[in-house]
Structures are given as C-alpha cells and as structure tokens.
Amino acid sequence: MEPHEPDLTAVPVTSVLAALADDVRLQIVRALAEGGESACGSFDFGVSKATRSHHLKVLREAGLTRTRAAGTSRLVRLRRDELDKLYPGLLDAVLTQRPPA
C-alpha cells in the first residue's frame, strides 16, 4: 500500500512553509535536492528512527516529497518540478539559505 500523497495544488502554502520550518526536515529536503531519490533509512541526522519517520511523513503530507516502495525499502524523492511550477523560487530560496556555522 502506497502512502497518501496529496495533490500539491490542494496543499496551502502555509503547510509547505511549516514543513520547511524544522531544521531536520530542512536537512532532509537539502539532502534530497543534492542527492536525488534516497532510501528512507539512509537519513542520519541524529534523530531516532521514529522521529525520522515522523519528519518524512510531515514532508510527504505537505506535498514536498513522494514515497514509493521498492521491495522492502521505501524510497523518497523531492517533488521539485511540481513545487517549482506551483511556488516558483521557493525551494531555491530555502536551499540556498545556509544555517550559520
């Protein structure tokens, strides 16, 4: 069974921005933007597996990612083309903004 992924046009921009407002979720989005589709278990940002799953669910429900099954793995990817079409420049602005060192 595939997880629910909303039609991005039905997701308010405030939900997208709220999903991007968390540091861990922002790190996940950056990793996906740089490395493309990845296994859900490959993200290691110092959080538990349950917390990582929660963050991936928030990103998926906000329309930022797509998840698909591949055998026993779940692969996640950024919905970059759809996001750029609906919210031009949003991801570019978020991805170029680096946290202070």
Side-chain angles (χ1 to χ4, degrees), residues 11 30 42 45 47 49 58 73 91 95:
V11 177
R30 285 187 175 130
S42 67
F45 297 114
V47 297
K49 181 179 175 182
V58 170
S73 297
L91 280 180
L95 295 173

Side-chain angles (χ1 to χ4, degrees), residues 35-89:
E37 188 175 60
S38 301
C40 291
S42 67
F43 300 106
D44 183 20
F45 297 114
V47 297
S48 69
K49 181 179 175 182
T51 301
R52 181 181 62 223
S53 293
H54 167 75
H55 286 305
L56 290 167
K57 178 183 174 190
V58 170
L59 290 170
R60 186 181 69 247
E61 290 178 348
L64 287 156
T65 61
R66 285 212 185 274
T67 303
R68 69 179 179 92
T72 59
S73 297
R74 295 271 184 196
L75 300 175
V76 63
R77 69 174 175 85
L78 193 58
R79 294 171 71 175
R80 181 72 190 242
D81 292 339
E82 295 169 78
L83 287 160
D84 286 343
K85 184 177 179 181
L86 194 57
Y87 306 117

Side-chain angles (χ1 to χ4, degrees), residues 1-25:
M1 185 169 107
E2 292 297 316
H4 170 71
E5 294 171 346
D7 178 352
L8 196 52
T9 60
V11 177
V13 69
T14 52
S15 295
V16 175
L17 293 172
L20 292 169
D22 181 88
D23 288 337
V24 173
R25 290 192 291 268

